[in-house]
């Protein structure tokens, strides 16, 4: 019973941090584009999107129940 509580608690704790990491990546990308004279906007958006998908798959997936 205590083991289920810990698993459920980890699910609720993990999601806000994952969303925060994804938000930080996009905000950082916007700052990088703003600071460069000739930014490669398309490349930065595509790379950030790919990284966001990877972080989302890993971060938002719930642990396997046994």
């Amino acid at each position: 019973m205590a083991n289920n509580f810990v698993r459920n608690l980890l699910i609720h704790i993990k999601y806000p941090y994952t969303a925060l990491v994804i938000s930080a990546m996009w905000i950082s990308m916007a700052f990088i584009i703003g600071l460069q004279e000739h930014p490669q906007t398309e490349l930065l958006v595509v790379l950030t999107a790919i990284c966001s998908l990877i972080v989302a798959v890993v971060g938002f997936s719930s642990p396997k129940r046994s």
Side-chain angles (χ1 to χ4, degrees):
M1 183 169 184
N3 196 15
N4 283 336
F5 174 74
V6 172
R7 284 184 186 171
N8 290 334
L9 185 64
L10 288 177
I11 289 172
H12 293 291
I13 291 173
K14 183 166 55 169
Y15 289 164
Y17 293 118
T18 302
L20 182 66
V21 167
I22 292 172
S23 299
M25 287 189 322
W26 283 97
I27 292 168
S28 301
M29 187 260 315
F31 279 124
I32 289 170
I33 289 174
L35 292 175
Q36 291 181 347
E37 280 187 38
H38 305 289
Q40 296 179 346
T41 307
E42 295 84 10
L43 176 64
L44 289 172
V45 169
V46 169
L47 290 176
T48 306
I50 291 170
C51 291
S52 295
L53 288 173
I54 293 170
V55 170
V57 167
V58 173
F60 289 129
S61 64
S62 55
K64 305 249 187 240
R65 300 204 185 252
S66 51

